[in-house]
Amino acid sequence: MADIEDLLGRMSLREKAGQLSLRLHGWTAVDRAGDDHVLTGAFHAEAERCAGLGGLYGVFRSDAWSGRGWHNGILPERRAEVAALVGEAGRRSSRHGIAPLLVEEAPHGHQSLGQTLFPVNLAAAAAWDPDLVEECAAAMGAELRAAGVHLALISGLDLLRDPRWGRSEECFGEDPRLAAELTAAQVRGLAAAGVGAVIKHFAAQGEGSGGRNGHSAVIGPHDLAELHLPAALAGIEAGAVGVMAAYNDIDGVPCCANPDLLTGLLRDRWGFDGVVVGDGLAIDRLAGQTGSLRAAARAALVAGVDVSLWDTAYTLLEDLVTDEPELVEAVDRSCRRVLRLKQRYGLLPGPADPRPEPIVVRDAASLSRALAARSLILLDDPAGVLPVRGRTRTEPVEVPDTTVPRPLRQAQDDASTSSGNVDGTFLVAVAGPNADSVTAMLGDYVPPLRPGDGQTVREALGAHWTVGDEDAVERADLVVCVLGGTSHRAYSEEFADNGAAGEATAANCGEGVDLSDLELPGDQVDWLRGIRARARGPVISVVITGRPHVLTEVIKLSDATVLAFYPGPYGAGAIADLLTGAAEPTGRLPVTLPSATGVVPVRYNDRLDSTRSYVDRPDPVLRPFGSGLGLRTVGVSRLAAARIADGIEVEVGLHHDHETAVPEVLQVYGKRLGGPFWPRQRELLAFRRVEVPPGGQTYRFVIMESDAFAGPDSTTVIMVGDRTVEISATSSCPAPR
């Protein structure tokens, strides 16, 4: 095993600075030449400039920004070979035999050709299933490791505090506990596969003013700690090896030049010993504050940024330290962290630290399919349209006011019910902007699928029913309207310098696509109103999106409404299973759905009730956080709380009258009273996906002291469903048993 201090002592300033740079776009390092891959002049120039390579970002990245696709990108079967080519060339370029780290984007699947794509984080949050998320991350990690990748950049630290933000889809919702548990699950899954997680973005990026990407987080230290830090701490405790500093500032101090955040909190208080990475070009952007790139590099380095991504500023470190020798200690500190990380992955001379043995995971595609199924949310089904089984018949009904749903179909399960079509076929009209789109289900940060891969909603429903298009609406027994948006970015588009969508993008969600209006894009609501007027059968709306849109009119105009946050390439099959009854809807909202654009931001854990705040919109919440319908109802039969030594124990009894187990997401909330801060309306204290057996079952939770109470003399109101119980921090504890 290499002696890092000895190695550090033998390295030149240029070599040390080179270890702190991920400047080269990795996809420009290798070209396909027929059946072979060759290193480019850009690779050799960067290796020479750095006297070795700290790492390469995105060697395998394939998407519209990189310009790599199936015609010119690195094919799946050649990835390990290319990783070895790059690694050995990088090692040879270093006189000390130090190989580069290979770093890849993997927010919901490795962003490279042929890898398994998963539902976006917002969909994963809607599933409320940390165990399944961990399995998906392990499967993703296994694919990354097989490709020779060391580090995966994963989102999860951002809270969705304003749905106008284009990066809403990358969040695990608006609640810090849900985000913390899912972030930790992702980190553990990757670690089990031997891949290091770099968690992003640190911190409070989801708090950007007005939902504008990268803008100031106007937030105090208490809310910062209570809302935006739990996911980061959970990820670090789960084993994250890196943290990416965010673009935004907090109270005017940029995150990537914030010593209190990156050193005082992250290092000194939390004891984090991994690497801090600046987001793409974030350090260069500091020049707008500091006045020069050299000053920008100094500010980031002193604050605690170890590794720069694409910046020019860190290429100036050698000259900077030559002029300011006292900064050599900061360079050594960061270089030491990078070398320790490289030692873990066998990139230094000598034997490597033992990496975990390859794990055996379920088929990645089946995991993606399972997560998609659990993420779908049934928002509304007032007369029980779902599931649609057998032949369905709705007699034509005159509906003068097309803004009000008309009576629904009759006797759905009566097989003798006849169809209105001449040949007796049960006909389903499938229409809408996302009815024939595979890419609309994938989200941002995705590679192109193989030609012919993926399935549209129309195709998935066609496996069950006879399907027509919009021309069949008047004679169809059922109309399925597939609405929403897309984060798909075409290869013909232009991009910002950090890969975010450019101004002329056709996408209406994703990085660089912030919106001022949360109504569905285009004229979708007017179009749906027209469909409603023409349809003689029930109308089911399926909304595929990456953010919480205003769905007030959609729900009014539909007999049932399903919300699908980008569910991935297997989402169409999951939607078909839900509509046909092959699967039950079990997704629950990880965000608050607003009733109008003008009410946002509105969150369930705000400190004051938003109801009646606006005289023109007395109820700003269309659907609350945590809500969602199932096909069968589960009730709360008992709620009790008892003081224990280190917190409180909560018992919840659930019951139902069905003959088989019913899936449910059990959520325990609290309102903490009596502390020094104005209490939030509700806070998620615990949750669990359960299968409630016939007759019911009791579930127990232990809520830790720090989560349960706001202070030593405070009280907490525990809430499950419509039941509440109050418990005091001064309540006596039962004697030990």
Side-chain angles (χ1 to χ4, degrees):
M1 185 177 296
D3 184 323
I4 289 178
E5 292 305 317
D6 175 68
L7 178 58
L8 194 62
R10 292 186 286 112
M11 293 175 70
S12 68
L13 179 57
R14 179 184 174 197
E15 290 168 331
K16 293 174 185 177
Q19 291 297 310
L20 310 186
S21 177
L22 292 172
R23 175 162 170 74
L24 187 66
H25 291 151
W27 59 86
T28 68
V30 180
D31 276 339
R32 255 168 59 180
D35 292 332
D36 295 324
H37 292 87
V38 296
L39 297 172
T40 64
F43 172 89
H44 292 299
E46 185 68 6
E48 181 179 356
R49 182 188 69 79
C50 295
L53 284 172
L56 284 170
Y57 163 94
V59 169
F60 304 114
R61 178 167 177 162
S62 296
D63 67 340
W65 182 42
S66 67
R68 300 297 189 183
W70 287 95
H71 65 293
N72 65 348
I74 298 170
L75 299 176
E77 62 271 18
R78 307 297 294 276
R79 269 194 291 269
E81 169 193 330
V82 170
L85 172 69
V86 170
E88 287 307 309
R91 191 185 294 274
R92 289 194 304 270
S93 70
S94 164
R95 66 189 179 102
H96 305 288
I98 303 172
L101 286 161
L102 297 187
V103 184
E104 293 286 321
E105 295 281 3
H108 51 109
H110 183 194
Q111 196 179 5
S112 65
L113 299 174
Q115 296 294 75
T116 305
L117 296 179
F118 296 87
V120 298
N121 279 357
L122 194 55
W128 294 66
D129 194 338
D131 291 340
L132 181 55
V133 168
E134 185 170 340
E135 278 196 272
C136 291
M140 179 173 71
E143 292 184 342
L144 286 159
R145 180 172 177 174
V149 175
H150 308 110
L151 304 182
L153 304 182
I154 60 170
S155 303
L157 305 190
D158 303 325
L159 288 187
L160 203 173
R161 304 296 288 173
D162 191 322
R164 290 172 291 182
W165 189 33
R167 303 187 78 167
S168 294
E169 66 189 79
E170 298 180 46
C171 304
F172 283 131
E174 69 186 42
D175 180 78
R177 182 171 305 279
L178 183 58
E181 292 207 22
L182 296 179
T183 297
Q186 278 194 332
V187 173
R188 287 193 302 268
L190 287 168
V195 175
V198 179
I199 52 179
K200 60 179 187 176
H201 306 88
F202 192 64
Q205 186 164 262
E207 201 75 45
S209 299
R212 295 186 288 269
N213 190 40
H215 279 233
S216 300
V218 183
I219 190 171
H222 178 72
D223 280 354
L224 174 68
E226 198 167 76
L227 294 172
H228 296 282
L229 298 185
L233 182 57
I236 289 167
E237 291 177 340
V241 302
V243 171
M244 177 175 280
Y247 282 124
N248 59 283
D249 67 86
I250 301 173
D251 196 25
V253 182
C255 289
C256 62
N258 190 331
D260 291 339
L261 182 70
L262 302 182
T263 300
L265 174 68
L266 189 61
R267 303 291 186 185
D268 299 341
R269 284 174 50 194
W270 289 358
F272 178 63
D273 63 355
V275 298
V276 172
V277 182
D279 206 342
L281 298 175
I283 300 175
D284 280 2
R285 293 179 184 182
L286 290 176
Q289 171 198 346
T290 63
S292 70
L293 289 176
R294 276 179 57 129
R298 187 186 195 285
L301 180 70
V302 170
V305 176
D306 302 308
V307 177
S308 155
L309 182 60
W310 314 327
D311 297 283
T312 297
Y314 264 33
T315 68
L316 308 175
L317 284 180
E318 185 178 4
D319 292 340
L320 180 65
V321 176
T322 300
D323 292 344
E324 299 183 57
E326 66 274 15
L327 293 179
V328 72
E329 184 178 342
V331 171
D332 284 354
R333 172 208 66 199
S334 291
C335 188
R336 185 180 293 111
R337 292 169 183 157
V338 172
L339 294 177
R340 282 203 302 259
L341 191 56
K342 289 192 171 190
Q343 188 170 59
R344 173 184 297 195
Y345 297 112
L347 304 178
L348 300 185
D353 287 350
R355 294 178 73 183
E357 289 299 315
I359 58 173
V360 177
V361 297
R362 277 199 283 163
D363 173 59
S366 69
L367 289 167
S368 179
R369 200 174 289 117
L371 187 58
R374 292 192 175 186
S375 73
L376 301 179
I377 304 166
L378 178 57
L379 293 178
D380 197 62
D381 186 14
V385 170
L386 297 177
V388 180
R389 298 190 186 99
R391 295 181 176 181
T392 302
R393 174 81 166 108
T394 300
E395 296 299 335
V397 179
E398 293 296 328
V399 187
D401 183 359
T402 60
T403 65
V404 180
R406 63 189 179 185
L408 306 180
R409 56 100 173 93
Q410 305 165 357
Q412 171 171 272
D413 297 320
D414 184 354
S416 66
T417 301
S418 63
S419 170
N421 294 298
V422 174
D423 61 0
T425 301
F426 176 59
L427 178 63
V428 178
V430 182
N434 283 342
D436 298 295
S437 175
V438 174
T439 57
M441 288 183 286
L442 304 182
D444 204 355
Y445 283 87
V446 293
L449 297 179
R450 285 187 179 92
D453 274 5
Q455 188 180 37
T456 68
V457 174
R458 181 188 305 282
E459 290 167 342
L461 293 178
H464 299 271
W465 299 314
T466 299
V467 169
D469 57 19
E470 187 174 341
D471 292 338
V473 165
E474 286 87 350
R475 56 190 176 86
D477 298 281
L478 173 71
V479 181
V480 177
C481 297
V482 192
L483 310 169
T486 180
S487 291
H488 178 62
R489 299 184 289 173
Y491 278 71
S492 59
E493 292 181 6
E494 295 183 355
F495 297 86
D497 57 4
N498 67 343
E503 293 183 2
T505 183
N508 38 53
C509 197
E511 185 175 6
V513 192
D514 308 328
L515 296 179
S516 64
D517 186 352
L518 290 175
E519 294 288 346
L520 287 177
D523 58 355
Q524 292 184 57
V525 171
D526 288 340
W527 174 85
L528 179 60
R529 189 172 287 112
I531 294 293
R532 171 83 272 177
R534 294 164 53 197
R536 69 181 185 87
V539 174
I540 298 174
S541 289
V542 178
V543 182
I544 300 173
T545 180
R547 57 155 50 92
H549 279 287
V550 171
L551 301 179
T552 306
E553 290 303 308
V554 172
I555 288 176
K556 287 181 180 179
L557 292 166
S558 307
D559 297 316
T561 305
V562 175
L563 178 58
F565 295 120
Y566 298 142
Y570 305 103
I575 291 167
D577 285 347
L578 188 154
L579 298 187
T580 60
E584 295 192 59
T586 60
R588 300 294 183 263
L589 281 170
V591 293
T592 301
L593 286 190
S595 62
T597 298
V599 305
V600 298
V602 57
R603 291 75 55 116
Y604 92 97
N605 53 8
D606 284 335
R607 299 191 183 280
L608 296 177
D609 185 0
S610 59
T611 304
R612 296 182 297 278
S613 294
Y614 300 102
V615 296
D616 60 340
R617 182 66 67 168
D619 189 358
V621 175
L622 178 63
R623 292 291 185 273
F625 176 89
S627 66
L629 302 176
L631 298 182
R632 297 176 289 170
T633 302
V634 173
V636 180
S637 59
R638 180 173 183 268
L639 175 63
R643 191 76 167 87
I644 57 176
D646 53 356
I648 58 176
E649 183 177 70
V650 178
E651 288 192 355
V652 183
L654 299 182
H655 73 95
H656 62 81
D657 299 324
H658 306 287
E659 296 180 355
T660 58
V662 178
E664 183 58 272
V665 178
L666 177 51
Q667 305 163 43
V668 179
Y669 294 89
K671 184 170 185 176
R672 301 185 294 169
L673 304 170
F677 300 98
W678 196 277
R680 299 186 185 281
Q681 289 296 300
R682 287 193 305 158
E683 297 176 76
L684 181 66
L685 299 180
F687 67 91
R688 188 182 305 164
R689 282 190 69 99
V690 296
E691 294 280 337
V692 185
Q697 184 168 313
T698 296
Y699 301 89
R700 291 176 175 82
F701 300 86
V702 173
I703 313 296
M704 300 304 294
E705 182 97 20
S706 57
D707 297 327
F709 299 106
D713 299 317
S714 64
T715 60
T716 296
V717 180
I718 303 296
M719 298 171 273
V720 178
D722 59 358
R723 292 184 177 242
T724 64
V725 61
E726 187 169 317
I727 186 167
S728 170
T730 58
S731 300
S732 59
C733 301
R737 291 180 288 184

